Amino acid sequence: MTKGKERIRFDCVGTLSEPHIYKCSVCDHEFRGEIGVTEEREHQLHCPQCEVAERITNHPKKFEVVGVIENAS
């Protein structure tokens, strides 16, 4: 959970380190997420509902980026 107010910029793609809202292409589940970094320094994203996972280099192929979440203090 984030503290304070937040703003969602729809139809925007931020950096890998920013939290986003993603939509899974397999089950259509929308979820908030940050791309995790594994021990091998690979960027990983997975759907919490159907457990589809993907290694990310630039933009995800199995997930649609709905928007970027930014804190609005």
Side-chain angles (χ1 to χ4, degrees):
M1 282 273 172
T2 58
K3 295 180 181 179
K5 296 181 182 181
E6 63 185 20
R7 179 180 9 213
I8 300 172
R9 294 181 302 165
F10 292 99
D11 299 325
C12 291
V13 177
T15 65
L16 288 176
S17 63
E18 292 179 294
H20 286 74
I21 296 178
Y22 296 100
K23 182 176 181 180
C24 179
S25 63
V26 175
C27 69
D28 284 337
H29 177 67
E30 289 187 5
F31 61 96
R32 295 169 173 250
E34 290 187 34
I35 295 176
V37 179
T38 64
E39 290 178 5
E40 294 83 23
R41 294 279 189 206
E42 295 176 339
H43 297 285
Q44 184 92 9
L45 182 64
H46 76 279
C47 176
Q49 184 159 329
C50 69
E51 297 301 322
V52 168
E54 178 181 3
R55 279 189 292 180
I56 307 296
T57 54
N58 287 329
H59 299 289
K61 293 176 177 53
K62 296 180 183 176
F63 300 94
E64 176 186 345
V65 177
V66 176
V68 178
I69 302 170
E70 62 182 28
N71 289 329
S73 302

